[in-house]
């Protein structure tokens, strides 16, 4: 690989000070990348542990939920409640009719 612009050439080859400085920069950058990779790997292990715990908890909930998931019958309708609902519905309709009649009188 040719390196035409990175280092200046001297009579004896490349400028040693520039090459050494470049190597130092590369080592520093490599160290940063290596430390970042280690931190990322540690973070991934923590996340995997959390995922395993959630997965185990989810399996336990599914196992417990299957036993408790029996269908629940709807409560029987209370006849008194149904009568009250019918009465309220009829009264609401009567009020709406009276309201319409009063509006008609007022608009005349």
């Amino acid at each position: 690989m040719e390196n035409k612009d990175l280092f200046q050439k001297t009579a004896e080859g490349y400028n040693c000070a520039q090459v050494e400085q470049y190597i130092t920069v590369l080592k520093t950058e490599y160290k940063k990348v290596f430390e970042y990779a280690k931190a990322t790997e540690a973070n991934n292990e923590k996340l995997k542990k959390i995922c395993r715990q959630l997965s185990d908890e989810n399996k336990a909930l599914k196992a417990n939920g299957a036993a408790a998931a029996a269908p629940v019958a709807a409560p029987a309708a209370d006849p008194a409640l149904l009568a009250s609902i019918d009465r309220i519905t009829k009264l609401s309709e009567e009020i709406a009719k009276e309201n319409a009649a009063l509006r008609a009188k007022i608009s005349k």
Side-chain angles (χ1 to χ4, degrees):
M1 179 168 125
E2 291 186 30
N3 192 351
K4 296 180 181 177
D5 298 327
L6 191 55
F7 308 113
Q8 294 176 352
K9 288 187 178 182
T10 61
E12 298 171 2
Y14 289 114
N15 186 333
C16 291
Q18 287 181 346
V19 171
E20 289 175 7
Q21 182 182 7
Y22 182 69
I23 291 172
T24 303
V25 169
L26 288 178
K27 285 181 181 178
T28 304
E29 290 299 315
Y30 178 77
K31 185 176 179 180
K32 287 180 187 177
V33 170
F34 182 75
E35 289 173 357
Y36 176 76
K38 278 180 65 175
T40 302
E41 187 175 329
N43 192 27
N44 284 345
E45 288 302 318
K46 289 178 187 176
L47 292 174
K48 285 179 185 177
K49 182 179 177 183
I50 291 170
C51 288
R52 283 190 291 272
Q53 290 172 344
L54 290 174
S55 178
D56 293 343
E57 183 180 344
N58 194 20
K59 288 176 186 175
L61 287 173
K62 283 183 182 179
N64 291 337
V72 178
D78 184 13
L81 180 63
L82 291 175
S84 295
I85 292 172
D86 288 338
R87 186 170 171 222
I88 291 171
T89 305
K90 288 177 184 176
L91 289 173
S92 296
E93 290 171 357
E94 290 175 15
I95 291 172
K97 288 177 185 177
E98 288 180 17
N99 189 14
L102 288 173
R103 285 182 187 233
K105 285 183 183 178
I106 293 173
S107 63
K108 287 183 181 181

